Amino acid sequence: MFGSLGMPELLVIFVIALIIFGPRKLPELGRSLGKSLAEFKKASNELRSTLEEEIRLEEQRTSFEASKAASQTSTSTTTSTPAPQTHTADPVQVRNADHSA
């Protein structure tokens, strides 16, 4: 039930708490302990969800930056490669060659 605490151990703890705090104060302590545990559980769940959300956003950021860098790399390699040049005759040279012949 509570890890290594069995029923006899819980009974001893309850009896000691009853002797120390008395029968009137014990229910009030139980309620406040229950509220404290509930608030702790709520806060830990909220912290866990916040951390998971931050991790998810960071993963999205890094994957976006990686894809952006990859697209820039592929764009720069395609634009930095010079296109094959075709040599066309200069019209002035062609005209001069026709007239000199």
Side-chain angles (χ1 to χ4, degrees), residues 51-65:
L51 286 174
E52 288 173 353
E53 180 69 20
E54 288 296 323
I55 290 170
R56 186 182 63 78
L57 288 174
E58 185 64 29
E59 287 174 350
Q60 284 180 346
R61 255 186 243 125
T62 56
S63 66
F64 174 73
E65 289 172 357

Side-chain angles (χ1 to χ4, degrees), residues 17-28:
L18 186 61
I19 292 170
I20 293 174
F21 297 112
R24 291 187 182 159
K25 192 77 170 174
L26 201 57
E28 184 180 316

Side-chain angles (χ1 to χ4, degrees), residues 88-100:
T88 58
D90 186 18
V92 174
Q93 291 175 353
V94 171
R95 197 173 339 142
N96 288 340
D98 288 339
H99 291 297
S100 64

